[in-house]
Amino acid sequence: MKMSSRVAGGLALMAGAIVILGVVGLVQLRSADRSEEALYRQTTIPIGQVNHLSLAFYRSWVVMMNASMAADPAKLESWFGEFSALQKEAEQALASLDRSFTQLELRRILKGVNDNVDQVMQGLVKGQELLRNSKDDVLIASMISGSLNGARTAVGTGLADLIAAIEKDA
């Protein structure tokens, strides 16, 4: 066999090996891309939704604390308007999380968070009436050391448990 035939055959074998490696690499790259996309949908998006809920919830708490210290009735109503908007944001975030969770453990934790968020929000809505009737001391006592504070603490614990469960499933 001629030397040129051997070189051409060797080059053909090398080209074939390169093509095979390229095809295998592309298949692996597509697989990694699908895995990354699934991880994004299962972890990153839900954690963002939990964060959105957390922000709306805690901001509504702060707004009501600020409202309890407002002396001007117009400013008080302004705080109440902001609270209502944040309450809707929290409800939307809870609904979004409810739609995105299919795992039983996540749904169980979310139900506890939802129950505690509802308890706090209902208490804060009642607090609006207390503030309108100049009974801010009753609301403040409940927010600092009463049942609203206990439920708020339970929400924080539940949100942390929810994030831990999301990360564990990833």
Side-chain angles (χ1 to χ4, degrees), residues 18 29 47 50 77 80 118-119 126 153:
I18 289 172
L29 190 60
I47 287 176
V50 169
E77 290 303 320
F80 289 166
D118 284 347
Q119 180 183 348
K126 289 177 186 171
T153 303

Side-chain angles (χ1 to χ4, degrees), residues 3-24:
M3 182 65 121
S4 62
S5 298
R6 288 183 187 174
V7 170
L11 287 174
L13 281 173
M14 286 177 48
I18 289 172
V19 167
I20 290 171
L21 284 173
V23 168
V24 168

Side-chain angles (χ1 to χ4, degrees), residues 1 11 23 32 41 62 69 89 101-103 105 108 110-111 119 121 127 134 148 153 163:
M1 196 179 248
L11 287 174
V23 168
R41 276 187 268 113
V62 169
M69 294 179 264
E89 279 185 44
F101 290 157
T102 56
Q103 302 92 330
E105 178 65 10
R108 183 191 63 75
L110 182 62
K111 182 181 180 339
Q119 180 183 348
M121 291 300 184
S134 298
L148 287 179
T153 303
I163 288 175

Side-chain angles (χ1 to χ4, degrees), residues 9-170:
L11 287 174
L13 281 173
M14 286 177 48
I18 289 172
V19 167
I20 290 171
L21 284 173
V23 168
V24 168
L26 284 175
V27 168
Q28 293 296 323
L29 190 60
R30 285 189 185 143
S31 175
D33 186 47
R34 279 188 226 113
S35 296
E36 188 175 306
E37 185 177 323
L39 182 65
Y40 174 76
R41 276 187 268 113
Q42 294 170 355
T43 304
T44 306
I45 291 175
I47 287 176
Q49 292 168 331
V50 169
N51 184 46
H52 186 73
L53 169 61
S54 179
L55 286 172
F57 176 77
Y58 285 111
R59 283 179 56 215
S60 67
W61 182 269
V62 169
V63 162
M64 286 303 289
M65 280 297 258
N66 289 337
S68 71
M69 294 179 264
D72 178 23
K75 185 64 177 166
L76 185 64
E77 290 303 320
S78 171
W79 286 120
F80 289 166
E82 189 174 342
F83 169 74
S84 294
L86 290 166
Q87 186 180 20
K88 286 179 185 151
E89 279 185 44
E91 288 170 3
Q92 290 170 345
L94 280 165
S96 180
L97 283 166
D98 189 50
R99 285 189 303 271
S100 66
F101 290 157
T102 56
Q103 302 92 330
L104 290 177
E105 178 65 10
L106 292 174
R107 293 188 70 73
R108 183 191 63 75
I109 296 169
L110 182 62
K111 182 181 180 339
V113 169
N114 195 0
D115 292 346
N116 286 307
V117 167
D118 284 347
Q119 180 183 348
V120 171
M121 291 300 184
Q122 288 171 10
L124 293 177
V125 167
K126 289 177 186 171
Q128 288 179 329
E129 286 309 309
L130 291 172
L131 291 174
R132 282 190 177 106
N133 295 321
S134 298
K135 296 183 180 171
D136 54 338
D137 55 333
V138 176
L139 175 63
I140 291 170
S142 181
M143 290 179 81
I144 292 173
S145 60
S147 62
L148 287 179
N149 187 50
R152 180 190 56 85
T153 303
V155 169
T157 302
L159 291 172
D161 291 347
L162 203 52
I163 288 175
I166 291 168
E167 289 174 343
K168 185 182 97 183
D169 280 350

